[in-house]
Amino acid sequence: MARLNWGMIGGGEGSQIGPAHRLGAQADGNFVLAAGALDHDADRGRAYAQSLGVAPDRAYGDWQEMLAGEAGREDRVDLVTVATPNSTHFEITKAFLEAGFNVLCEKPMTMTVEEGEEIVKIAKASGKICAVNYCYSAYPMVREMREMVRTGQVGRVRLIVTNFSHGHHGDASDADNPRVRWRYDPAMAGVSGQFADCGIHALHMASFIAGDQVRTLSADFASTIPSRELEDDAMVNFRMEGGTVGRLWTSSVAIGRQHGFDIQVFGETGGMRWRSEEPNQVYYTPVGGRTQIMEKGEGGLSDEAARLSRVAIAHPEGFPLAVANIYVDLAASIRGARRDGLPTAEHGLRSMAAVHQAVASAKADGAWVDARPPSLR
């Protein structure tokens, strides 16, 4: 099967997320990096793209040049990944969708709910794919948890407890480091810091595994380092449409925690938990029974978990291969298959609505608010 042409905006040399996308997109032979505008410095971006094998005439200085250059080509890119600063996501995603390109956007998809609503409408009108990189939902054992909920193996889900907390921004003396500072600057990050950066991964994961959507929430935000305008710690309680209770903690000042993303799902007949730092295992406990460790690659797992596992049992598959699974499903979708695990623009919209409503709740001393975007109430 011929490889699909792929283009990337942002994610240049020194980027935190760029290498994961390049490894992930090309891991299974579905995509080839054919075009890119990889850096805000045009010359540096062109040079780096060419060092990665991009032809000189498709190594662009900025995204506008890339849009103009690719739009008229017969071999135009089949997918564009947007991995630029948050404040630029909407403008770039909108322009490429309107020009008839499929798009994978880093999260958050937009800065405002209104922008999110517009992206959803444009994606539907264009008939093109607009996906959002909630890549943690693509780990094989996370897909297994979703299948276990779907097939009733834990009964009705009563409670979900999740957190995404680390301590890498806990050093006040490093608060002015540009790689850290922008995350707490409203001009760059929007209305929320840590919750919009990491917390929405945990919130999306809760909805993904439960097969349900967050209806209401109550939030408490804190900026524990005084120079920060936006929160570096948040606690969010939520309720889902089907009645599931949720508890979410996210922090960037939890010194001693490294990646710190985990989720526990408690149903009527069983419970299970998963940690991103041990992504190959799910701990499952049936009511009245012993705790079992389920391992990626073992026999008896769901077709969905088996489909997204590449190497034999006991060999770890880490973050880049979770990103790769997003690209596997994107390639299948572009070629006409249906993949219901792919995070879409609607998921990005729901996340942004939750962010804005959490900000409103925190300002109102934790008042319960409707977490849904207006179009989905």
Side-chain angles (χ1 to χ4, degrees):
M1 188 176 296
R3 289 192 292 177
L4 299 167
N5 285 332
W6 171 54
M8 189 173 192
I9 302 169
E13 191 169 15
S15 162
Q16 182 178 10
I17 196 64
H21 279 285
R22 286 188 287 276
L23 288 167
Q26 299 174 98
D28 298 280
N30 287 311
F31 293 96
V32 59
L33 181 60
L38 303 183
D39 201 293
H40 68 276
D41 181 299
D43 290 338
R44 191 164 59 205
R46 290 190 186 99
Y48 188 56
Q50 291 178 59
S51 77
L52 296 172
V54 175
D57 65 328
R58 301 180 83 174
Y60 299 104
D62 57 43
W63 70 265
Q64 293 95 336
E65 183 182 323
M66 178 170 161
L67 178 59
E70 291 298 308
R73 298 183 67 105
E74 290 186 6
D75 62 345
R76 63 192 282 176
V77 291
D78 299 287
L79 174 70
V80 175
T81 293
V82 180
T84 54
N86 296 357
S87 59
T88 66
H89 288 179
F90 169 71
E91 180 184 21
I92 300 171
T93 298
K94 177 177 182 289
F96 276 86
L97 284 173
E98 289 178 333
F101 292 89
N102 299 302
V103 176
L104 171 62
C105 184
E106 266 300 330
K107 40 63 56 186
M109 183 178 74
T110 61
M111 298 280 275
T112 70
V113 177
E114 292 76 18
E115 290 173 348
E117 298 272 17
E118 188 172 353
I119 291 295
V120 170
K121 290 177 183 177
I122 292 169
K124 288 179 179 177
S126 70
K128 293 299 178 180
I129 297 165
C130 181
V132 183
N133 191 32
Y134 290 115
C135 54
Y136 298 99
S137 66
Y139 275 102
M141 296 309 289
V142 171
R143 296 291 178 96
E144 180 68 17
M145 293 175 77
R146 184 179 68 150
E147 289 301 309
M148 291 176 70
V149 170
R150 282 181 165 179
T151 54
Q153 295 181 56
V154 296
R156 183 183 68 83
V157 177
R158 293 169 171 162
L159 172 65
I160 295 177
V161 179
T162 183
N163 83 85
F164 198 154
S165 52
H166 64 84
H168 299 299
H169 301 164
D171 183 355
S173 67
D174 193 45
D176 284 334
N177 179 337
R179 293 176 64 88
V180 174
R181 188 180 63 236
W182 76 266
R183 298 176 187 273
Y184 308 97
D185 178 357
M188 295 288 288
V191 297
S192 170
Q194 178 63 15
F195 184 58
D197 189 20
C198 294
I200 58 174
H201 271 300
L203 197 68
H204 173 264
M205 181 82 84
S207 291
F208 181 83
I209 292 173
D212 201 357
Q213 300 298 334
V214 175
R215 182 182 181 90
T216 59
L217 60 79
S218 167
D220 177 33
F221 283 9
S223 298
T224 65
I225 293 180
S227 63
R228 291 176 176 162
E229 293 186 60
L230 299 176
E231 85 286 351
D232 53 23
D233 187 275
M235 179 68 74
V236 180
N237 294 312
F238 59 90
R239 299 288 188 276
M240 290 185 157
E241 299 275 6
T244 298
V245 175
R247 315 289 188 200
L248 185 158
W249 171 50
T250 185
S251 182
S252 62
V253 293
I255 295 171
R257 293 184 67 96
Q258 296 302 320
H259 194 259
F261 184 15
D262 59 58
I263 188 164
Q264 300 174 82
V265 178
F266 303 105
E268 293 176 323
T269 61
M272 49 188 176
R273 58 186 170 94
W274 175 88
R275 297 180 63 238
S276 66
E277 293 176 16
E278 296 177 342
N280 285 2
Q281 292 84 33
V282 166
Y283 287 72
Y284 166 59
T285 308
V287 64
R290 293 176 176 172
T291 297
Q292 306 166 28
I293 302 175
M294 303 169 60
E295 187 83 24
K296 179 202 70 65
E298 69 184 17
L301 298 181
S302 66
D303 291 343
E304 185 73 353
R307 178 178 70 85
L308 296 175
S309 298
R310 290 172 182 76
V311 295
I313 189 169
H315 295 283
E317 294 186 34
F319 180 77
L321 290 185
V323 176
N325 287 339
I326 295 291
Y327 282 97
V328 165
D329 283 354
L330 277 166
S333 298
I334 291 169
R335 290 168 173 149
R338 183 176 179 273
R339 293 287 186 260
D340 73 346
L342 189 63
T344 65
E346 182 179 309
H347 298 104
L349 169 60
R350 286 186 181 276
S351 293
M352 188 45 54
V355 166
H356 279 263
Q357 291 301 89
V359 171
S361 172
K363 290 180 178 178
D365 295 326
W368 282 89
V369 296
D370 195 323
R372 300 168 296 179
S375 65
L376 297 174
R377 293 182 182 176

